[in-house]
């Protein structure tokens, strides 16, 4: 199974990417049935090369699942995302990233908080995606910020965004303020959220994606232009 981590962190190193890596490592452990710490997440930022060699962990238990983690760094796609808005066509790196995200069995998405919401780069990436591309996809959402006062961005901005995209967002979202690093509570939230996403991975093959085809011979309703409908109301 493949989990794609989408990170909108802008700096190097980035606390947003760090949170994403910790979430991804926890998902790999929980999917493998191993609660031990120390799993590494290997950087796969060049999505044009595919996912061979992506981070993985093989569990030996009966309920374990092999999980690969692929990383999409939006910082490296900023120019192509902007060009997509102006010309309507994705560049090769953006196209590879979109393909990786839409074909993933699950997503981990993390963003820094700017002006009490997700970053513009984060939103722009999902704006250029087809509306139903994530339908049924399990998603774990996370965010970082300088103050705990911004933690509600997870519920008033990120969760509604992925609900609109018809993704399945896990109940536990993870916010990391500056003071959370090294403090009690963050590790427990990461493990709880990772366990929820790993649980959804078990049914990932049963989900989604294309809408069901109409039965053979079924009548297809003609589409009436809006102008004609409006004219009919005025009569």
């Amino acid at each position: 199974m493949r989990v794609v981590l989408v990170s909108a962190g802008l700096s190097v190193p980035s606390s947003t990417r760090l949170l994403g890596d910790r979430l991804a490592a926890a998902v790999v452990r929980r999917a493998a049935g191993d609660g031990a710490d120390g799993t590494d997440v290997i950087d796969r930022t060049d999505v044009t090369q595919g996912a061979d060699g992506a981070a993985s962990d093989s569990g030996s238990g009966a309920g374990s699942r092999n999980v690969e983690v692929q990383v999409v760094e939006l910082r490296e796609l900023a120019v192509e995302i902007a060009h997509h808005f102006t010309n309507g066509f994705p560049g090769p790196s953006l196209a590879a990233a979109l393909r990786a995200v839409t074909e993933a069995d699950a997503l981990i998405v993390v963003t820094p908080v700017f002006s009490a919401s997700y970053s513009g780069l984060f939103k722009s990436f999902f704006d250029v995606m087809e509306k139903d591309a994530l339908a049924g996809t399990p998603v774990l959402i996370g965010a970082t910020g300088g103050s705990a006062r911004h933690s509600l961005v997870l519920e008033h901005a990120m969760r509604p965004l992925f609900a609109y995209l018809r993704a399945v967002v896990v109940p536990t979202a993870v916010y990391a303020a500056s003071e959370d690093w090294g403090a009690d509570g963050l590790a427990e939230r990461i493990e709880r959220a990772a366990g929820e996403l790993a649980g959804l991975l078990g049914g990932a093959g049963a989900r989604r994606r294309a809408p069901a085809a109409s039965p053979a011979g079924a009548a297809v309703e003609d589409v009436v232009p809006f102008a004609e409908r409006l004219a009919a109301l005025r009569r």
Side-chain angles (χ1 to χ4, degrees):
M1 298 211 175
R2 181 171 301 165
V3 174
V4 174
L5 164 60
V6 179
S7 172
L10 298 179
S11 59
V12 180
S14 163
S15 62
T16 300
R17 173 62 188 274
L18 176 60
L19 176 61
D21 283 347
R22 290 188 61 179
L23 288 167
V27 170
V28 170
R29 290 196 307 272
R30 298 300 292 268
D34 180 10
D37 202 0
T39 302
D40 293 328
V41 175
I42 300 175
D43 191 352
R44 296 294 301 174
T45 55
D46 189 354
V47 294
T48 62
Q49 296 182 5
D52 295 339
S56 64
D57 191 7
S58 299
S60 57
S64 65
R65 294 178 294 277
N66 298 334
V67 175
E68 295 179 344
V69 176
Q70 184 172 356
V71 179
V72 174
E73 280 280 9
L74 299 187
R75 174 176 53 85
E76 300 176 357
L77 301 173
V79 173
E80 290 193 18
I81 291 173
H83 287 171
H84 189 291
F85 279 109
T86 58
N87 61 28
F89 297 97
S93 296
L94 177 58
L98 291 171
R99 184 167 57 252
V101 169
T102 56
E103 293 177 356
D105 293 299
L107 299 177
I108 300 169
V109 297
V110 288
T111 178
V113 174
F114 294 144
S115 301
S117 188
Y118 36 59
S119 72
L121 178 60
F122 181 86
K123 180 61 160 58
S124 294
F125 177 73
F126 291 100
D127 280 344
V128 300
M129 191 174 293
E130 294 293 331
K131 186 184 70 171
D132 294 329
L134 299 184
T137 303
V139 176
L140 193 168
I141 57 176
T144 59
S147 168
R149 291 175 295 179
H150 293 304
S151 61
L152 285 178
V153 69
L154 294 164
E155 304 302 329
H156 74 66
M158 294 185 72
R159 195 177 296 276
L161 170 63
F162 289 98
Y164 172 77
L165 295 174
R166 297 170 55 206
V168 180
V169 185
V170 301
T172 301
V174 181
Y175 180 84
S178 299
E179 61 267 24
D180 287 328
W181 299 104
D184 293 337
L186 179 59
E188 288 76 7
R189 296 198 301 274
I190 288 173
E191 289 297 327
R192 183 167 63 248
E196 292 168 356
L197 188 67
L200 289 177
L201 275 172
R207 61 184 167 87
R208 92 183 219 242
R209 208 169 220 108
S214 300
V220 178
E221 182 182 359
D222 292 334
V223 177
V224 180
F226 177 74
E228 292 184 17
R229 291 184 180 273
L230 189 60
L233 294 175
R234 292 175 175 172
R235 292 172 185 167

